[in-house]
Amino acid sequence: MRSGDPDSAFLFGEFRLDRRRGGLFRVDAEGTLAPVAVGSRALDLLQLLVERQGEVVLRDEIMAAVWHGTTVEDCNLPTQIAALRRVLDAHRPEGSFIQTVAGQGYRFIGAVVRADPPRPPTQRHRKGSGLWPRWRLYGAFAILVVLAVGRLATGWSQHWPSAAEPPLPSIAVLPFANLSNDPAQQYLADGITDDIRTELSRLSDVRVISRGSLSAYRSDISVSLEVGREPGARYLLQGSVHELGDRLRINARLIDAATGAEIWAELFDHKPADLFTVEDEVTRRIAITLNLKMIAAAAGRSAAHPSASDYVLRGRAAMLGPFTRENLTAAIADFEHALALDPSYAGAKSMLASTLVARAMNFHPRGFRGDIVRATRLADEGLAAAPQSPEALIAKGQVLRWEGRYRAALRAYQTAFALDDNNVIALALIGQCRLIVGPLDDAIPTLKRAISLSPRNPIVGHWYAWIGWAYLLQGRADEAVDWLERANDALPGNAHYHSLLASAYGLAGEGRRAAAELAEAHRLYHDGTRWSVAHFRSRGGESYLAPEIRTLFDANVIRGWRQAGLPEQ
């Protein structure tokens, strides 16, 4: 179900419901949008009630609009209403927004204002264009932004240099098979199929084959190539749902329609205590993972005469490998090629800006100060051309972080995530900013949420390290050791993370391990400096931290280093 006007947005209380931007948001006093986690069914239900504010919406009408007439258990509607009330009514003393009308249905009683649809950003076009999609994080922080694991063919959607360019990459989501013995469980398989299609359809540079084109098919490998030919899909997503006692098992696999080759497969195994939460979590993870896999697959397709969009794809794919100076340099070269072919390509500008900052932050190459000056200019140009592009906002946030303007960077990341709540890079950057400006209690769950949505992300090791850093600041040595060990396993050779692990071991009273990690960190830095507490303080390493975080840094991180054997002078 969708609004009659898909571009409409609605304001009520402290909330904005905006399906075009991706869902429900809380609006603060400064007008900043913070995304609110709500399942897709609950969002559909909320939009129906808000659009008909003041009217009683009958139960049968709700079931037809939100569940498309599918037979479901009687408790499903009250469960979704309860979930909405937990979110909407938490700070509302005057009672619930949603009124139950006994024996009939529900009524939304809050005051609602219909907002104007967002104006499309002004862009320069050359034989085709579109909005650029998503991402990159940042090594110690910048790598994330460059990994570009977002919209499958970012460049394709934003700019096609000639009429001969291929159309948007397309995917057909075959109806998921119900492997349970109970035919009544087919509604679950159908619901997951529809939700995955919905999540993928939010990606502006991927064409999702319509449901009607696939209605004759079930998820059978024998028809894969046939399905790929008929609706013109480049990729196929097949899957199945199977209830095994108290477990819900969901299989998904991505297939190249041209060759039948399997690109990716994964098994999701959950206890269905909250069926709708499981469904929402799985569909979002599948959509995020598909972006990663399809970017790599698309970038691997050869082109005799690469276009600007081809080079952007290659640069993004380069960042899917190990986070090294060599891969960063290769990605920079690809983005440079894209801009040489099309100097107005806003997406390439944003990606190049983020990559230049990533290299400067992590490897400090010769001339990196010049790179930062250029990155600042590129980020501003990219954002001016595409003000609602998450990638442009993240690039601007990276530059702001380099300048030490962490709260402004945090706002940029939050806006990026509000525009695209599947952007795990923006989400992880929000979490890491919280390690600097606080509150720490928000940092850890935010980072764990990013991991849960993209557990096999190529840069997930950084997220482990940031969680370890948060626990270390709190003096929770055992948790810090656990997460920092995971980080060093995922990203061997990172001197900074070894130094944090040394502090964590020191805090835990494991002196020998602490000293060994400190020595390894010193070896990896290769700067020849004699390390000491005074040395770290002279570098101003903690000066960027908020006062309360700086206090925790002194109380726990410095104390851990001392216990690891770090001298005062």
Side-chain angles (χ1 to χ4, degrees):
M1 171 264 171
R2 284 289 179 270
S3 165
D5 179 2
D7 289 345
S8 294
F10 303 90
L11 304 176
F12 54 92
E14 60 181 355
F15 297 97
R16 179 185 180 101
L17 176 61
D18 192 336
R19 295 305 289 263
R20 176 165 175 158
R21 291 190 175 189
L24 181 66
F25 307 93
R26 184 174 277 107
V27 186
D28 67 15
E30 298 178 354
T32 302
L33 299 181
V36 178
V38 178
S40 59
R41 297 282 189 198
L43 274 177
D44 289 344
L45 172 56
L46 177 61
Q47 181 144 351
L48 174 63
L49 295 175
V50 166
E51 285 182 328
R52 296 177 58 177
Q53 185 269 346
E55 300 180 30
V56 177
V57 185
L58 301 179
R59 183 185 185 283
D60 289 346
E61 294 180 83
I62 295 173
M63 299 305 295
V66 177
W67 280 273
H68 311 291
T70 303
T71 301
V72 298
E73 295 182 7
D74 291 341
C75 65
N76 284 325
L77 177 54
T79 297
Q80 296 302 311
I81 291 290
L84 285 173
R85 284 172 171 162
R86 283 196 299 272
V87 170
L88 301 178
D89 303 336
H91 306 292
R92 182 175 163 84
E94 60 268 43
S96 180
F97 276 109
I98 301 173
Q99 181 184 65
T100 300
V101 181
Q104 298 185 55
Y106 298 91
R107 174 166 47 206
F108 193 90
I109 61 174
V112 175
V113 175
R114 184 185 292 264
D116 291 333
R119 296 174 62 87
T122 302
Q123 290 187 307
R124 297 169 64 183
H125 293 255
R126 290 182 55 188
K127 298 184 183 178
S129 83
L131 269 181
W132 187 74
R134 92 135 71 44
W135 86 272
R136 223 347 296 158
L137 203 59
Y138 100 115
F141 24 91
I143 163 175
L144 305 178
V145 186
V146 195
L147 229 179
V149 195
R151 321 298 206 194
L152 161 54
T154 154
W156 287 336
S157 76
Q158 182 175 19
H159 182 81
W160 302 343
S162 73
E165 288 285 336
L168 290 179
S170 55
I171 182 169
V173 182
L174 300 183
F176 272 44
N178 170 30
L179 301 184
S180 303
N181 293 326
D182 183 2
Q185 294 300 314
Q186 185 61 49
Y187 82 88
L188 176 59
D190 292 342
I192 288 176
T193 305
D194 286 344
D195 283 352
I196 291 173
R197 287 194 185 114
T198 299
E199 290 292 332
L200 291 174
S201 68
R202 292 167 55 192
L203 307 183
S204 60
D205 50 344
V206 178
R207 182 170 67 91
V208 180
I209 303 301
S210 69
R211 180 180 181 179
S213 302
L214 302 168
S215 59
Y217 298 101
R218 284 285 154 192
S219 194
D220 184 344
I221 187 60
S222 65
V223 300
S224 290
L225 298 183
E226 180 185 356
V227 173
R229 285 193 298 269
E230 288 192 5
R234 176 170 294 171
Y235 303 99
L236 305 173
L237 181 68
Q238 296 180 319
S240 62
V241 179
H242 193 185
E243 277 197 293
L244 299 169
D246 65 344
R247 309 294 299 180
L248 178 65
R249 178 166 294 172
I250 301 172
N251 277 289
R253 56 195 301 229
L254 181 67
I255 295 171
D256 186 317
T259 66
E262 182 175 281
I263 298 172
W264 161 82
E266 188 159 347
L267 171 66
F268 302 87
D269 208 2
H270 291 270
K271 285 188 176 181
D274 183 343
L275 194 56
F276 290 98
T277 298
V278 170
E279 183 179 337
D280 186 59
E281 182 82 6
V282 169
T283 54
R284 293 188 67 190
R285 277 189 59 183
I286 289 174
I288 291 167
T289 303
L290 286 179
N291 284 329
L292 282 164
K293 297 300 178 181
M294 289 193 290
I295 275 191
R301 294 174 183 267
S302 61
H305 302 287
S307 66
S309 57
D310 288 328
Y311 278 117
V312 168
L313 268 178
R314 292 179 182 182
R316 291 165 70 105
M319 300 311 301
L320 297 177
F323 181 59
T324 64
R325 179 172 175 170
E326 291 72 26
N327 278 347
L328 280 171
T329 300
I332 287 170
D334 286 325
F335 299 139
E336 296 276 21
H337 281 304
L339 286 177
L341 290 173
D342 180 6
S344 68
Y345 195 159
K349 290 180 179 181
S350 297
M351 293 300 301
L352 180 55
S354 292
T355 315
L356 290 170
V357 176
R359 187 171 67 171
M361 284 179 169
N362 291 277
F363 299 104
H364 305 291
R366 177 178 297 180
F368 76 91
R369 295 190 184 280
D371 284 349
I372 292 297
V373 171
R374 187 176 179 220
T376 302
R377 175 177 59 80
L378 289 168
D380 288 341
E381 291 176 358
L383 190 58
Q388 291 194 341
S389 161
E391 292 71 22
L393 286 159
I394 290 174
K396 182 62 177 179
Q398 295 302 92
V399 170
L400 290 168
R401 292 188 71 152
W402 175 268
E403 296 172 350
R405 299 165 60 187
Y406 294 96
R407 294 188 186 278
L410 177 60
R411 289 193 292 272
Y413 302 144
Q414 287 172 328
T415 304
F417 189 69
L419 289 167
D420 178 7
D421 64 1
N422 280 336
N423 193 321
V424 290
I425 297 311
L427 181 62
L429 284 168
I430 290 168
Q432 208 224 3
C433 257
R434 289 298 184 197
L435 301 179
I436 297 167
V437 302
L440 285 181
D441 287 343
D442 288 349
I444 294 172
T446 300
L447 290 165
K448 287 183 176 180
R449 176 65 174 157
I451 293 169
S452 74
L453 288 174
S454 191
R456 297 183 183 177
N457 197 291
I459 42 90
V460 72
H462 294 291
W463 307 346
Y464 296 158
W466 298 348
I467 293 173
W469 165 251
Y471 282 130
L472 180 58
L473 285 169
Q474 293 177 332
R476 297 165 64 177
D478 289 342
E479 291 101 323
V481 165
D482 179 38
W483 285 94
L484 289 167
E485 287 280 18
R486 294 191 209 183
N488 284 320
D489 288 343
L491 301 167
N494 187 300
H496 179 56
Y497 298 160
H498 279 285
S499 72
L500 293 178
L501 184 55
S503 176
Y505 273 131
L507 215 59
E510 298 191 39
R512 291 183 61 183
R513 289 189 176 182
E517 291 295 337
L518 194 61
E520 178 64 7
H522 197 180
R523 184 187 68 81
L524 291 168
Y525 267 115
H526 301 300
D527 64 357
T529 304
R530 173 179 166 78
W531 282 10
S532 66
V533 172
H535 166 68
F536 279 111
R537 292 197 184 284
S538 69
R539 295 173 61 184
E542 72 273 24
S543 62
Y544 58 85
L545 300 173
E548 62 272 22
I549 307 295
R550 195 177 311 143
T551 298
L552 294 173
F553 181 87
D554 286 339
N556 295 311
V557 181
I558 293 290
R559 180 162 63 93
W561 277 335
R562 286 184 174 127
Q563 293 174 349
L566 188 69
E568 290 296 322
Q569 300 294 331

